[in-house]
Amino acid sequence: MRYLFLFIFFGCSQITIQAKTSPYFDEHLQSGLNNFKHWQAVLDICKPNYKQLQKLNGCISRARTALNNNTSTPSTTTHYSFEPEMVFVKGGSFQMGSNGGEEDEKPVHSVTLSGYYIGKYEVTQKQWRDVMGSDPAKLAFPGCDDCPVERVSWEDVQTFLQNLNSKTGKNYRLPTEAEWEFAALGGNSSKNYTYSGSNNVNDVAWYKENSDSKTHPVGGKQINELNIYDMTGNVWEWCSDWYDEKYYESSPSQNPKGASSGSLRVNRGGSWRLTTVYCRLTNRNGNGPTFREQFLGFRVALSSQ
């Protein structure tokens, strides 16, 4: 028999609540309970019922719903201030690509993904500096802590990830191209928008027509269906995959990870510098692993197991 223990502190007093929770004690509730940030959400929902144990199961069910929408990485270890805020993307199936887009977006094909976590925001200048010790050498828009870091190559990002994982004991990585597109589309909650979160690009993206030719602080536009920001515009985002323009013709249907080799790495999402054509969710791009530019950054991912 499994039990949930809630320790609620009021000043110097402590009340312990015990209730059967087996119908509700799944990984999402546990993830929330393991993360200090989301204790308050549990307490706010459950505290009014602490004297009524017979109601606690229903209370926990509501807490579970709230925590299913949380934006933090589940962890039993310390969460450091420089770690990216993460959103859980529940596994599912979707139609990847576009038969009406460029040739490398064809054919539309079915993809099924396991659950994973992806950054709620693009990695910022401050996060890069906190992990690496300094800004990238040729940062185009310095002095904006909350702006996405840019002019970082795919290989630079691998060094960042190694340092981040060394500091945290976790296994952060770049998302696969399929994970990126599924999250940008809104996962299982997708409304099939043209851009990430809207059919109106101005709602969700910094791009050529509104960016004033520069990056902008992350999170300044509308969220998508998964509460993720800036998956359209601001900066292109590196993915883990090798780029292959014909990959969709032979892509595995289960958790595809891209071509086995190549000369270019995938980046997705468009940027502040480009028009709406490049901001479409299915648009693909590739650059060499050492390529650095003022319109190219990244966000991180984390496997759920």
Side-chain angles (χ1 to χ4, degrees), residues 38 93 128 193 232 246 279:
H38 294 285
S93 299
W128 181 276
Y193 292 130
T232 298
K246 296 187 180 298
C279 292

Side-chain angles (χ1 to χ4, degrees), residues 136-272:
K138 295 183 179 180
L139 189 67
F141 305 106
C144 180
D145 281 356
D146 293 330
C147 288
V149 69
E150 25 77 16
R151 278 193 170 158
V152 290
S153 71
W154 190 92
E155 292 184 355
D156 294 335
V157 172
Q158 301 311 302
T159 303
F160 172 90
L161 292 170
Q162 291 170 9
N163 288 1
L164 178 61
N165 291 338
S166 177
K167 289 174 181 290
T168 62
K170 299 173 186 174
N171 191 28
Y172 288 102
R173 57 178 175 82
L174 285 173
T176 66
E177 184 173 21
E179 288 174 338
W180 188 97
E181 187 166 317
F182 188 51
L185 283 165
N188 295 317
S189 300
S190 177
K191 297 180 181 178
N192 295 311
Y193 292 130
T194 302
Y195 312 106
S196 187
S198 179
N199 285 325
N200 183 343
V201 68
N202 286 291
D203 290 342
V204 294
W206 297 109
Y207 70 112
K208 184 176 181 179
E209 300 303 320
N210 67 5
S211 69
D212 195 26
S213 299
K214 62 181 180 181
T215 59
H216 290 262
V218 299
K221 289 289 187 175
Q222 180 176 299
I223 54 175
N224 77 353
E225 297 93 318
L226 292 177
N227 298 328
I228 304 172
Y229 290 93
D230 298 307
M231 295 200 80
T232 298
N234 221 357
V235 291
W236 286 97
E237 299 178 13
W238 287 113
C239 295
S240 61
D241 308 38
W242 287 109
Y243 173 79
D244 179 351
E245 65 179 356
K246 296 187 180 298
Y247 181 66
Y248 286 8
E249 296 178 6
S250 59
S251 171
S253 62
Q254 300 283 328
N255 295 314
K257 299 188 187 314
S260 58
S261 62
S263 60
L264 307 176
R265 294 286 186 177
V266 171
N267 41 81
R268 298 291 298 265
S271 79
W272 59 265

